[in-house]
Amino acid sequence: MLLSLDTFYYTFLRAEHTDGYTGFLVGASMIFISYFWLNGTKDLIYTLYFYLFCKKSYKTPSLNARWNSKAFRTKRPKVLLVYCTCNDFSGDSLLKSMNQTYKNIEVVILDDSNQKEYKTMVNAFGDQHNIKVIRRRSRVGFKAGNLNHYLKKAKFDYFVILDSDEIIPRTYINRSLDYFAGNKAIGIVQANHIATRNRNPFMKMFARGVDSHWPTYQMVKSSNGFLSLLGHGAMVSNECYQATGGFPHVVAEDLCFSIEARNKGYFVAFAPDIICEEEYPISYLAFKKRHSKWTQGNMEFIKTYTANILNAQMKWFEKFDIILFTYNLPLHAFFSLFVAINVILLPAVHYHLIYPLWMLIPTIIFLISPMLNDMIYYFKEMRFKHLCWYLLHTLLLFGSMFFISLQSSLKSLVGGSTFIVTPKTNQLVNWRFAFKANMRELIFAFIILAISTIMDGNPLPVIMIALPSIFSVYLARLANERKPLESRVTIGSLSSGAFSWLRSASLSAKTFLPFL
């Protein structure tokens, strides 16, 4: 959403009466605010559209629709379960994913590990269960290169991408084939996800965001935007894979592959009734690494794929959807330019930008709009004080990512992007280690507080950036408590919101019971 023309022209022309330099800075500041409002509007529209329209109208194929396909009746397609690992192997997760009601499958472990203990674990699991283990000489192309190294020589009809912590339900393949049979243009079926095996306060606090985010945003994107393969829990047809030429060798291989597939006439279908399990990052430090990977991947995407989007064979709203979501993480880092303009550059020329009071209302609305989905989803499930406590922590968690977003964006912009594997193990975090691990965030916070106080006479302009960064020490210590693993999803472990998706999927008792 853009600022009103009256406000923009008043502020800009007032600055122009000072000098051209000041006018330029004010204009840039207005652009940043407009982008912030646009991003907040996106979250409002997607969330409200889901609960008012999409949730009730979203259509899924009928059960056993695969039997309507002559090709399926004639020959059971061969499906590969492709398990990707790099120093994060979980035999328990893979073993549960292998337990499929569909039988014409082959399991392959693509091991990019360089640590001896993980190679030993993979070899032992492969020998015990008679599973092929594939390794390569170099890790070129990151995860994309690992997949292509095997898939380009393999024989299959479909393959399923499994990350190290992924657990797919027993009926995953059968139900995914229903989606493929329902529409010949579908090249990828992306399953729904919930976060399980939450074994410390950090995971328990933030994992609920996974349960609420997946159905809301992916269903809206699938029906009215651009849905991408999301890296795991997805099934891809051989025809789609061959048409694209494989996964592009970039950090965000899933998004780029989806664009290439779309250019070849294939779509990604979202399956809300196929609910897989994933693990939330085990600690704040692991979350920071994953956020850094996502930011670098998106920045690399902006540099290398922007022209591809503009020339892609897709509708305008699909392109707009990609821009809104993909450009989000890196451009948050460039919000630092807005801070520099208002805290350093304008005060240096003795100019104070005065915004009309009415702008405070939409600004607050758009500030909390990314949390609107969680507010609605958990309103009836959580006590009000517990919901507020969760939302406060969410604000601190994502607010504290400002520095890592800035650092990762600049690293990708100048030196290239790196695929970072999210750590799956944790360690006891004492206060000393917490301070040391977040020292850059703390230094950054106190520097911008000092600059704001010196230049503007007030630390308040940067308090929403500095305060979450200071609380990074507290967030790091949330991962200390250990609890027994929840090895399987049960009815009691699902929120009522997640369970409602199972019930609304119209699964028969015969299909539903094995699924659990």
Side-chain angles (χ1 to χ4, degrees):
M1 179 183 293
L2 297 176
L3 297 169
S4 70
L5 292 177
D6 289 342
T7 303
F8 180 85
Y9 283 126
Y10 168 77
T11 309
F12 185 78
L13 291 174
R14 175 171 164 261
E16 277 293 312
H17 286 302
T18 306
D19 58 66
Y21 171 72
T22 304
F24 171 79
L25 294 178
V26 171
S29 184
M30 295 297 103
I31 292 174
F32 278 114
I33 294 176
S34 297
Y35 172 74
F36 173 72
W37 283 19
L38 175 64
N39 197 53
T41 303
K42 170 207 66 178
D43 288 302
L44 282 177
I45 292 176
Y46 275 67
T47 301
L48 294 177
Y49 181 79
F50 171 75
Y51 287 101
L52 294 176
F53 304 104
C54 191
K55 184 177 181 180
K56 298 178 181 179
S57 63
Y58 193 85
K59 296 181 179 180
T60 59
S62 61
L63 288 174
N64 301 318
R66 59 190 179 280
W67 289 102
N68 296 327
S69 170
K70 181 178 180 181
F72 181 82
R73 294 195 305 269
T74 304
K75 173 189 175 184
R76 300 294 185 271
K78 180 180 179 181
V79 180
L80 296 179
L81 293 185
V82 183
Y83 181 90
C84 302
T85 181
C86 180
N87 301 323
D88 58 354
F89 180 72
S90 172
D92 182 63
S93 298
L94 178 55
L95 192 61
K96 291 173 182 176
S97 294
M98 290 163 52
N99 186 24
Q100 292 292 303
T101 56
Y102 188 83
K103 298 307 178 184
N104 190 16
I105 65 172
E106 180 181 354
V107 182
V108 181
I109 300 176
L110 306 185
D111 184 22
D112 257 359
S113 302
N114 55 16
Q115 295 180 17
K116 184 177 180 180
E117 58 267 35
Y118 284 103
K119 288 185 174 182
T120 302
M121 291 169 60
V122 170
N123 289 338
F125 188 92
D127 292 340
Q128 180 181 357
H129 298 282
N130 194 27
I131 293 174
K132 186 186 301 183
V133 177
I134 304 296
R135 294 189 173 99
R136 52 189 183 138
R137 294 181 179 179
S138 69
R139 292 169 61 181
V140 62
F142 313 118
K143 182 179 178 180
N146 194 15
L147 287 165
N148 290 334
H149 175 254
Y150 175 72
L151 291 174
K152 288 193 173 182
K153 300 177 182 178
K155 294 182 179 180
F156 59 91
D157 296 298
Y158 300 91
F159 66 89
V160 180
I161 304 175
L162 302 176
D163 275 357
S164 63
D165 59 340
E166 181 85 17
I167 299 177
I168 60 176
R170 293 189 65 224
T171 56
Y172 176 94
I173 295 177
N174 273 325
R175 186 60 179 142
S176 295
L177 289 171
D178 288 340
Y179 279 81
F180 282 108
N183 187 345
K184 299 301 181 182
I186 292 176
I188 305 166
V189 173
Q190 175 63 63
N192 198 357
H193 282 75
I194 57 173
T196 60
R197 295 156 285 173
N198 304 312
R199 51 196 179 271
N200 63 49
F202 180 84
M203 301 176 82
K204 291 177 181 179
M205 173 65 73
F206 299 110
R208 54 175 57 96
V210 174
D211 300 6
S212 61
H213 176 88
W214 272 83
T216 301
Y217 282 89
Q218 308 317 321
M219 286 176 70
V220 174
K221 290 166 70 68
S222 179
S223 57
N224 294 279
F226 179 84
L227 177 65
S228 168
L229 182 159
L230 295 169
H232 59 287
M235 189 164 167
V236 184
S237 71
N238 184 38
E239 290 83 358
C240 177
Y241 179 77
Q242 297 298 335
T244 61
F247 289 90
H249 284 196
V250 293
V251 173
E253 85 291 330
D254 47 4
L255 173 61
C256 296
F257 178 80
S258 301
I259 293 175
E260 296 299 336
R262 184 69 185 87
N263 283 335
K264 298 299 182 180
Y266 292 97
F267 291 87
V268 181
F270 180 64
D273 56 329
I274 305 177
I275 302 183
C276 305
E277 301 176 48
E278 63 176 288
E279 284 191 4
Y280 200 79
I282 196 169
S283 67
Y284 177 73
L285 303 180
F287 183 88
K288 280 205 304 185
K289 289 191 175 183
R290 189 183 73 169
H291 189 85
S292 176
K293 180 189 76 172
W294 285 358
T295 304
Q296 290 185 57
N298 285 9
M299 177 57 76
E300 180 187 40
F301 174 83
I302 291 173
K303 291 193 302 181
T304 60
Y305 256 77
T306 296
N308 296 42
I309 297 175
L310 298 177
N311 298 321
Q313 300 298 314
M314 61 180 73
K315 297 178 180 179
W316 69 268
F317 59 84
E318 295 178 275
K319 298 178 182 180
F320 191 51
D321 180 89
I322 295 173
I323 292 173
L324 284 177
F325 281 89
T326 308
Y327 287 49
N328 188 18
L329 286 178
L331 289 183
H332 271 178
F334 288 99
F335 183 71
S336 57
L337 296 176
F338 172 79
V339 176
I341 289 172
N342 286 269
V343 175
I344 301 176
L345 300 179
L346 287 177
V349 295
H350 307 290
Y351 184 91
H352 293 277
L353 197 55
I354 301 174
Y355 299 102
L357 186 60
W358 67 265
M359 285 180 59
L360 184 63
I361 297 175
T363 300
I364 293 176
I365 292 175
F366 295 138
L367 179 66
I368 65 175
S369 63
M371 298 184 291
L372 178 62
N373 181 49
D374 281 341
M375 294 178 188
I376 299 175
Y377 193 91
Y378 289 111
F379 181 75
K380 294 182 179 180
E381 297 187 22
M382 300 175 66
R383 297 178 63 180
F384 181 73
K385 64 178 182 179
H386 293 160
L387 179 58
C388 291
W389 187 242
Y390 162 65
L391 294 175
L392 174 62
H393 278 74
T394 300
L395 193 63
L396 290 175
L397 177 65
F398 288 95
S400 68
M401 293 295 110
F402 187 92
F403 175 78
I404 198 71
S405 295
L406 175 61
Q407 181 188 51
S408 301
S409 294
L410 293 177
K411 178 183 181 300
S412 177
L413 187 64
V414 177
S417 300
T418 303
F419 191 99
I420 303 173
V421 178
T422 304
K424 301 299 189 299
T425 57
N426 192 24
Q427 65 184 76
L428 182 66
V429 180
N430 56 32
W431 285 107
R432 181 178 180 181
F433 182 81
F435 274 100
K436 183 178 180 181
N438 296 288
M439 186 58 65
R440 290 175 295 181
E441 282 81 2
L442 295 173
I443 293 174
F444 173 75
F446 288 114
I447 286 177
I448 62 174
L449 284 171
I451 292 175
S452 180
T453 303
I454 293 172
M455 299 298 297
D456 202 44
N458 192 344
L460 291 179
V462 297
I463 197 68
M464 291 298 292
I465 299 175
L467 198 59
S469 297
I470 294 173
F471 270 90
S472 61
V473 176
Y474 161 72
L475 293 170
R477 284 181 52 80
L478 282 180
N480 280 338
E481 183 181 339
R482 296 269 182 177
K483 294 292 182 181
L485 283 174
E486 303 167 11
S487 61
R488 289 287 289 183
V489 177
T490 64
I491 295 296
S493 69
L494 290 173
S495 66
S496 62
F499 178 72
S500 67
W501 281 113
L502 294 175
R503 184 172 55 193
S504 64
S506 299
L507 295 175
S508 65
K510 183 178 178 180
T511 307
F512 182 69
L513 291 176
F515 174 72
L516 294 176

